[in-house]
């Protein structure tokens, strides 16, 4: 969910009629519930995203790097996922020889590459990777911000347990 949504405002009259017929209101996270409650007050049940256990059970571990330390960002590359925050954090670890591995694609990829380069971050962009394989890599970072709901990486951890 976003902190606010331009899509809710114009659709609000239609959605308000529909919401009156809803028996149970659900949201994937507290952040998503807070946004929905701004437009449609009421009680919401938190229902986390589902997990395809079979997909994770048959996945193979992903080798990130031959170097000593790597951190995986495994998500769509968009502002609310927080990659720019992670790039800035990795830049602060320059003395530790850390490689940032970005598995994902999206509208902020060019900006993320540019930021990493400008800060001297050793970053490797893999593009889109199968979710099951990436979920087995360690360590992973999920700095999601900007109203992001429950990161799927949390669900991935549950699937691996």
């Amino acid at each position: 969910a976003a902190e606010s949504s331009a899509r809710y405002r114009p659709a609000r009259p239609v959605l308000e009629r529909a919401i009156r017929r809803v028996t149970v209101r659900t949201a994937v996270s507290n952040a998503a519930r807070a946004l929905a409650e701004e437009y449609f007050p009421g009680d919401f049940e938190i229902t986390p995203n589902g997990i395809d256990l079979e997909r994770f059970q048959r996945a193979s571990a992903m080798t990130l790097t031959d170097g000593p330390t790597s951190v995986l960002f495994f998500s769509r590359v968009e502002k609310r996922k927080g990659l720019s925050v992670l790039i800035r954090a990795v830049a602060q670890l320059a003395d530790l020889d850390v490689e940032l591995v970005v598995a994902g694609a999206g509208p902020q990829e060019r900006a993320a590459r540019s930021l990493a380069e400008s800060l001297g971050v050793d970053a490797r962009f893999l593009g889109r990777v199968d979710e099951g394989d990436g979920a087995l890599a360690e360590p992973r970072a999920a700095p999601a911000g900007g109203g992001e709901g429950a990161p799927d990486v949390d669900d991935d951890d549950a699937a691996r347990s």
Side-chain angles (χ1 to χ4, degrees):
E3 288 180 15
S4 65
S5 176
R7 293 182 183 153
Y8 275 130
R9 284 184 212 96
R12 191 171 184 171
V14 172
L15 293 173
E16 282 178 341
R17 284 192 305 262
I19 200 77
R20 286 190 281 262
R21 296 185 295 223
V22 170
T23 304
V24 177
R25 299 172 188 209
T26 66
V28 298
S29 67
N30 287 325
R33 174 178 54 195
L35 174 62
E37 283 179 333
E38 285 182 32
Y39 297 93
F40 311 106
D43 294 329
F44 285 79
E45 296 288 328
I46 301 297
T47 307
N49 293 324
I51 302 167
D52 182 351
L53 293 176
E54 288 181 21
R55 183 176 193 178
F56 288 97
Q57 289 170 343
R58 65 178 181 262
S60 58
M62 182 178 173
T63 302
L64 296 180
T65 182
D66 294 331
T69 306
S70 59
V71 175
L72 173 66
F73 174 85
F74 190 83
S75 186
R76 182 165 163 72
V77 181
E78 59 184 60
K79 186 176 180 179
R80 70 187 182 127
K81 299 294 185 172
L83 179 56
S84 64
V85 172
L86 181 58
I87 291 170
R88 287 184 178 89
V90 171
Q92 299 297 311
L93 304 174
D95 60 322
L96 298 179
D97 190 28
V98 174
E99 179 186 35
L100 174 61
V101 179
V102 178
Q108 297 295 313
E109 188 173 345
R110 179 181 290 165
R113 285 176 185 269
S114 177
L115 179 62
E117 184 177 335
S118 72
L119 296 176
V121 170
D122 182 12
R124 185 163 37 116
F125 289 76
L126 304 178
R128 192 172 191 291
V129 174
D130 182 82
E131 291 176 1
D133 295 340
L136 296 174
E138 295 288 346
R140 293 173 295 146
E148 173 69 359
D152 288 338
V153 72
D154 295 340
D155 297 334
D156 299 347
D157 284 336
R160 296 182 315 159
S161 300

